[in-house]
Amino acid sequence: METIVFDIGETLVRDDRYWASWANWLGVPPHTLSALVGAAVMQGRDSADALRILRPDMDVAEAYLARVAAGRGEHLDESDLYPDVRPALAELRALGVRVVVAGNRTVRAGELLRALDLPADLVVTSDEWAVSKPDPEFFARVLEVSGAEPRSTLYVGDHPANDLFPAKSSGLRAAHLRRGPYGHWWADHPDVVETADFRINALTELPGLLSGRKSGPGTESGAGSGAGRAAESGTGSVAGAGTPGTPGTAGTAADAPARRRTLRSVR
C-alpha cells in the first residue's frame, strides 16, 4: 500500500464537541440531540437529520453561518483527536506510506486541522474541494492527491455509505473502522464484512496489517486471518462477521434482514 487516506469525523476527530455545540445553539440538552443522532444512525439516515427533527424548517447550512456570525462557530484542538491518531499516522509515514486526510468538513475545519500539524502529507476537506462524500467526484479527487494507483490506495473511515462503499466503487481499497455511532452500529453488517478489505478497531492496527503482523489484542483484519490475503488478492471479500448479539456487535441475528435493507437503502 503506497497511500492511506483518512476520513475525518469519528475516524480522526471525536464529534462530541460538534454535537454539543449544536445542542447549545438550539437550546436542547446534549443528551436529546445525541439520542436523535443515534436514531438516525440506526435508520441509515444522515446524522444531520437529527437537527431537522428538532427544527424541521431549519436550513442547516444557513444555521451554521448564523453560528459563525454570532461568534459560535467551529472549534477543534488536540483534545478532539482520538489518542491513536498521532502514533498511527507517524508510524505509517515512517514506513514510507503517503498519509492524506480527506473528509467531509468545512473550510474552517480544514484550517483548524492543519494548525494541529498532524503527521500527514496533506489535509483537505470536502468544502475546500467543493464536493462531498459519497459523490464519486470526491474519490476521484482522492485519487488525484494519492499519487498512487487505486489498488495501492487505502481509504479508512467509519461510515459504510460515505466511506466504505463509494471508495470501493471508485476502485480504492477500503478499511472500515469500528468507531463512532456508524462505525459501531454497522461494523458486523454483512455488506460491510463482504465489502471491506480490512476491518479494524483502532488506527494503530494499520501498520501491522500492512507489514503482515498483528498489532495487538482484538486486531481484526477484515473478519479473521484470511482478510489480509483477501485484500492482497483484490477480492474485497473477507470471511466471518463475528457473533451476532455479542456486546459491541451490530445486533441479533433476528435484526439482520431489516438492518441489511436499511443499509442498502443508503448505498
Side-chain angles (χ1 to χ4, degrees):
M1 207 67 64
E2 297 178 33
T3 301
I4 298 185
V5 186
F6 292 89
D7 170 46
I8 298 174
E10 291 302 340
T11 295
L12 304 185
V13 174
R14 296 159 52 111
D15 282 345
D16 311 46
R17 188 195 302 270
Y18 175 84
W19 291 113
S21 66
W22 271 112
N24 182 266
W25 177 255
L26 296 175
V28 300
H31 175 69
T32 298
L33 183 53
S34 293
L36 291 173
V37 170
V41 169
M42 291 174 62
Q43 295 169 19
R45 296 166 59 180
D46 183 350
S47 57
D49 285 350
L51 301 174
R52 301 181 185 101
I53 291 171
L54 291 168
R55 299 289 186 274
D57 298 326
M58 182 178 74
D59 183 300
V60 175
E62 289 183 1
Y64 169 79
L65 294 176
R67 285 181 50 191
V68 172
R72 296 166 67 178
E74 292 179 83
H75 179 77
L76 194 154
D77 61 31
E78 191 72 22
S79 66
D80 295 299
L81 296 177
Y82 278 99
D84 60 357
V85 171
R86 287 194 181 276
L89 271 57
E91 186 173 356
L92 289 168
R93 291 189 82 189
L95 291 172
V97 176
R98 177 170 169 80
V99 173
V100 175
V101 176
N104 283 356
R105 287 283 170 159
T106 63
V107 171
R108 176 58 177 159
E111 296 168 348
L112 293 169
L113 279 169
R114 286 188 288 273
L116 294 178
D117 194 24
L118 295 171
D121 296 285
L122 175 69
V123 175
V124 65
T125 67
S126 56
D127 278 11
E128 291 170 328
W129 276 348
V131 62
S132 300
K133 297 180 294 182
D135 193 314
E137 180 59 28
F138 179 93
F139 291 93
R141 297 296 299 272
V142 165
L143 285 172
E144 287 178 12
V145 301
S146 165
E149 293 297 317
R151 299 301 294 168
S152 296
T153 301
L154 178 70
Y155 195 86
V156 181
D158 64 297
H159 197 308
N162 280 353
D163 302 327
L164 175 61
F165 300 145
K168 291 292 290 184
S169 295
S170 298
L172 286 75
R173 292 186 177 181
H176 180 260
L177 175 63
R178 187 194 289 265
R179 174 172 289 175
Y182 287 99
H184 281 286
W185 184 254
W186 297 108
D188 296 313
H189 189 282
D191 288 352
V192 171
V193 174
E194 179 182 347
T195 303
D197 293 295
F198 300 106
R199 293 192 300 143
I200 59 174
N201 299 313
L203 299 179
T204 45
E205 296 173 20
L206 287 168
L209 293 177
L210 297 184
S211 61
R213 72 180 191 273
K214 263 204 167 185
S215 297
T219 299
E220 270 188 57
S221 171
S225 61
R229 293 191 297 274
E232 290 305 312
S233 66
T235 63
S237 177
V238 289
T243 305
T246 56
T249 65
T252 66
D255 295 331
R259 295 170 70 93
R260 187 162 196 148
R261 287 194 299 272
T262 300
L263 186 55
R264 282 178 169 169
S265 73
V266 298
R267 290 187 67 169

